[in-house]
Amino acid sequence: DARVTQTPRHKVTEMGQEVTMRCQPILGHNTVFWYRQTMMQGLELLAYFRNRAPLDDSGMPKDRFSAEMPDATLATLKIQPSEPRDSAVYFCASARGARNNEQFFGPGTRLTVL
Amino acid sequence: GENVGLHLPTLSVQEGDNSIINCAYSNSASDYFIWYKQESGKGPQFIIDIRSNMDKRQGQRVTVLLNKTVKHLSLQIAATQPGDSAVYFCAETSRDDKIIFGKGTRLHILP
């Protein structure tokens, strides 16, 4: 059955290292979202794309985070350099086109920055 | 209801009873609302949605009520089962596609 996939599922790294998280949206979905979930802040929208173009990345720290969609089947979220405060679960979600359509979430990447 | 910080509000319900989870939203311009369920170790999963031109919507064992006057949303789960144990999030969105999530409520089912 169709689902959003994310890799890696878990990542432990040291402060200062680059981290890249990947997401494969559901085939046919042209809107992709990146979220971060922490105990303190809950679920926060970092960025989202439609038809591979970034529509909003205002929730993302620009100095260290970057999000791209190299093609319709791959979205990436990169942190460089990583910091301990970046430790969180990062979720990707995809949706089909028009606004207010159901978002399907991936299983998340649990990132720990030491 | 909503909460800030480390501790999510917890609703404990006897198995078989009905559960009501409440949510206050902040933006009076929001016109689309969603309830998500998140089980441990998984991503949020869509449960039910409602648009602002409706007051009530029913699904299988779930009902969402919307009160725009007081900006309140509730999720009712009928005949709560052990599989309903999860954290439940309300979410709101307005003219753009950005979804703003609430902090979540943990539903605990008592045997």
Side-chain angles (χ1 to χ4, degrees), chain B:
Chain B
E2 300 299 288
N3 196 21
V4 176
L6 287 172
H7 301 290
L8 292 175
T10 298
L11 175 66
S12 295
V13 175
Q14 205 77 36
E15 182 179 348
D17 286 353
N18 297 336
S19 302
I20 300 177
I21 301 171
N22 295 305
C23 175
Y25 64 93
S26 54
N27 186 359
S28 55
S30 292
D31 60 359
Y32 178 61
F33 305 87
I34 315 109
W35 279 100
Y36 282 88
K37 172 186 181 183
Q38 187 175 22
E39 296 174 281
S40 181
K42 297 183 179 180
Q45 180 184 13
F46 173 94
I47 301 174
I48 191 168
D49 60 358
I50 188 168
R51 301 188 189 278
S52 59
N53 60 352
M54 302 172 69
D55 298 321
K56 178 179 179 179
R57 189 159 188 234
Q58 287 185 289
Q60 187 177 16
R61 279 203 310 121
V62 294
T63 300
V64 55
L65 298 177
L66 174 63
N67 185 332
K68 294 181 289 294
T69 303
V70 295
K71 293 191 284 188
H72 183 269
L73 198 64
S74 70
L75 176 70
Q76 300 178 5
I77 304 173
T80 310
Q81 302 169 358
D84 296 327
S85 288
V87 177
Y88 290 81
F89 296 94
C90 67
E92 61 182 297
T93 183
S94 55
R95 291 184 60 81
D96 57 28
D97 292 304
K98 291 196 291 187
I99 292 185
I100 308 298
F101 283 83
K103 296 297 184 185
T105 297
R106 187 179 306 280
L107 179 62
H108 176 62
I109 311 303
L110 301 167

Side-chain angles (χ1 to χ4, degrees), chain A residues 8-13 18-20 109-113:
Chain A
R9 291 295 310 277
H10 302 272
K11 176 73 175 178
V12 180
T13 191
E18 177 179 300
V19 174
T20 299
T109 294
R110 181 175 294 278
L111 174 65
T112 302
V113 183

